[in-house]
Amino acid sequence: MRARDLAMAYESVRVDDDALEAARLMAEHQLPGLLVLDRDGEPKAILPASQVIKALVPAYVIEDPALAAVVDEKHADRLCEALRGRRVGDLLSDKAARPPIAAPDDTALEVAALMAQARSPLVAVARRDKAGLNLLGVITASQLLNRLLGHTEPHE
């Protein structure tokens, strides 16, 4: 099985897209993260759902989680307001690495090794040509695991 055969369409956003809309997309599709594309449409980073949640939580609560107990429900229900007016790029960590990118002919094991090395829940599959990088799709960790487990016999 080659990466091109495993690649599937996956939700992506651009660095200039609205952060609140990206959060809604993540929530609606129950995604562990989104593939973030740069202004040219090339993979730039992976925005994990945990990073979006971190942007919602006030810094003082992150520093001292015990303070979360004193925030009333009325204010807690408005946490998502912290995303209003922000762009996806604003939520990316300064340390955000480029997402791992597999070539279309990479094997499932090569994809697994790339995913493990990068500790990433997603691997982009792209073909590079003279025009640049052509994104074919994404392979998720759960999808790859499902594929690999499909080739093992269950123990009785």
Side-chain angles (χ1 to χ4, degrees):
M1 185 65 50
R2 301 291 175 173
R4 70 175 162 273
D5 302 320
L6 294 168
M8 62 180 194
Y10 192 82
E11 300 294 343
S12 62
V13 293
R14 294 192 183 245
V15 290
D16 291 329
D17 286 351
D18 183 75
L20 188 54
E21 288 305 313
R24 284 187 180 123
L25 182 65
M26 238 183 241
E28 180 181 323
H29 295 283
Q30 298 182 352
L31 301 172
L34 290 172
L35 180 63
V36 179
L37 307 176
D38 65 16
R39 290 176 180 96
D40 297 324
E42 293 196 10
K44 176 178 177 58
I46 294 170
L47 177 62
S50 59
Q51 187 71 25
V52 175
I53 290 170
K54 183 178 179 183
L56 302 178
V57 179
Y60 65 87
V61 174
I62 292 173
E63 289 176 27
D64 185 359
L67 293 175
V70 299
V71 177
D72 64 15
E73 287 299 312
K74 180 180 171 185
H75 287 91
D77 288 343
R78 290 189 291 202
L79 288 176
C80 287
E81 293 297 318
L83 296 179
R84 195 166 304 284
R86 296 178 75 185
R87 300 282 161 221
V88 168
D90 299 335
L91 303 182
L92 294 175
S93 163
D94 294 338
K95 300 173 190 167
R98 290 191 79 75
I101 300 174
D105 289 331
D106 285 356
T107 65
L109 184 55
E110 288 174 303
V111 172
L114 184 61
M115 191 176 282
Q117 183 182 42
R119 295 181 182 184
S120 174
L122 309 173
V123 171
V125 179
R127 176 178 289 117
R128 188 172 292 282
D129 58 23
K130 293 176 184 173
L133 207 58
N134 180 19
L135 184 64
L136 303 178
V138 167
I139 300 170
T140 65
S142 58
Q143 174 197 10
L144 183 59
L145 188 57
N146 186 38
R147 183 66 179 184
L148 295 172
L149 286 172
H151 294 289
T152 29
E153 295 294 320
H155 288 10
E156 292 185 22

